[in-house]
Amino acid sequence: MDAVQAGETFHVTRNGVEIAELRPLARRRRLTAEELVGRHRTLPRVDHARMRQEADELFDGEDRVGADPWERAGG
């Protein structure tokens, strides 16, 4: 395990046939708040009216929630 943690990869075999690979996990570093904001700014804008229209066309208007998605039928 120390070797794997240090970056080595091992191939596991059964009867001479490779069946698995043991390798270190790729550790993703956490993004800073500035990096997250920067990524958010590059996202495409969403046209909500068009998205609603496409959803209505796709689902034939069935199971459509009212204007307030948190509103419950009957109170």
Side-chain angles (χ1 to χ4, degrees), residues 24-62:
L25 291 175
R27 298 285 181 201
R28 293 174 33 169
R29 69 176 183 83
R30 291 182 178 242
L31 299 175
T32 66
E34 291 168 348
E35 290 170 320
L36 290 171
V37 168
R39 284 188 178 192
H40 176 74
R41 287 187 175 140
T42 64
L43 294 174
R45 286 238 181 267
V46 174
D47 180 341
H48 297 286
R50 182 173 177 202
M51 186 172 74
R52 170 64 81 179
Q53 178 185 356
E54 290 175 358
D56 285 344
E57 290 170 5
L58 179 67
F59 296 110
D60 259 350
E62 293 178 22

Side-chain angles (χ1 to χ4, degrees), residues 6-27:
E8 275 193 66
T9 299
F10 294 89
H11 296 266
V12 180
T13 62
R14 175 182 283 160
N15 298 326
V17 177
E18 192 172 294
I19 60 168
E21 180 178 86
L22 179 62
R23 61 181 167 76
L25 291 175
R27 298 285 181 201

